[in-house]
Amino acid sequence: MTRHAGAWTLAVLVAGGAVAQEPPEPPPAAGEPAAPPTAEPEPARPGASGVPVTLLSFAEPAVEVAGAEGGWQGLREGERLRTGQRLRTGPEGVARLEFPFMGLNVGPGSELWLPPGVVLSLHLERGRIEVASERSEIIKLVTPEAEVRGQGRVIVERREGLTQVLAFSGRVRVTGGGGRVTLVSGEGTRVRPGRAPEAPLALPPAPTQLTPGDDPPYFEVGAPVELTWSPV
């Protein structure tokens, strides 16, 4: 996020090794209000020269951003992530990114990168992301082992050199190691380094009659919470 602040204008003239500076404005005349103090500009975000492509709509408790040169800084809700920047969450951190055409949830202990380029893509270095795009194609998702394209609700997780892709709705294509598989709702696959994706496997059915459900209630800190479900 960039903020503009007023500042004194410095005119630097280099001639014969001498440097001249424009004198400051004269003080206000008697009875005139003094000019308000000049605010210090915020430090630039790492990689802030990229193109803003997504909004951080939720962050808790620790979400950080860094540019290509490194230097991690805290990222606040309402700020935008730009191409060329990286985002990471702490061991208990979660984040929600809003693209114009889809939403993306970032799980704890995750790190991702938005590389600069003509085609927008998202690289997952580690951790877990959930993507939902029911009406259009999701962003191209890339891990060191696989590439994921398609439409629907998809979870991609990378741990210890293994990429897992789970499709809960829609249809997605997973490529890697010279091979490709197509997943439909209720299927998943794994991709190991340098190998083609494994044949699609049916995901186990989800528990039913969950309490809380899709619209969970809120509880005070320390209050007991009852969780119920019916096994499958």
Side-chain angles (χ1 to χ4, degrees):
M1 176 175 65
T2 305
R3 295 182 180 175
H4 299 282
W8 290 92
T9 302
L10 299 180
V12 180
L13 305 176
V14 180
V19 179
Q21 179 173 315
E22 183 178 303
E25 296 180 3
E32 291 186 2
T38 301
E40 292 293 332
E42 288 190 351
R45 288 288 186 192
S49 59
V51 179
V53 293
T54 183
L55 175 73
L56 180 68
S57 62
F58 179 83
E60 187 177 295
V63 178
E64 297 179 310
V65 64
E69 69 282 1
W72 292 97
Q73 296 182 7
L75 192 65
R76 299 183 297 270
E77 294 176 4
E79 294 192 271
R80 293 189 178 276
L81 196 66
R82 298 169 175 263
T83 55
Q85 291 182 322
R86 293 178 177 271
L87 180 142
R88 72 180 181 185
T89 56
E92 298 182 358
V94 293
R96 169 77 177 180
L97 297 176
E98 301 287 353
F99 291 82
F101 51 92
M102 70 173 207
L104 187 147
N105 297 324
V106 186
S110 300
E111 182 175 338
L112 53 87
W113 176 45
L114 284 167
V118 178
V119 179
L120 183 62
S121 63
L122 186 148
H123 290 226
L124 178 65
E125 303 293 336
R126 57 181 171 88
R128 174 188 175 102
I129 57 176
E130 178 185 353
V131 184
S133 179
E134 301 297 341
R135 297 183 179 180
S136 60
E137 285 249 335
I138 63 174
I139 188 174
K140 181 171 73 171
L141 304 174
V142 181
T143 73
E145 296 79 32
E147 179 179 307
V148 183
R149 302 291 297 267
Q151 170 269 330
R153 178 169 168 256
V154 184
I155 289 179
V156 180
E157 183 175 28
R158 182 173 191 263
R159 306 283 184 189
E160 301 178 351
L162 175 68
T163 295
Q164 298 189 81
V165 184
L166 312 176
F168 292 93
S169 68
R171 188 182 188 90
V172 296
R173 305 176 300 279
V174 183
T175 60
R180 186 176 81 171
V181 298
T182 298
L183 304 179
V184 296
S185 179
E187 292 184 337
T189 185
R190 298 185 298 182
V191 189
R192 302 180 186 278
R195 299 185 183 181
E198 297 179 3
L201 293 175
L203 301 178
T208 59
Q209 300 180 9
L210 297 175
T211 303
D214 293 336
D215 188 17
Y218 292 90
F219 299 89
E220 294 184 1
V221 176
V225 179
E226 181 179 2
L227 306 176
T228 61
W229 66 90
S230 297
V232 295

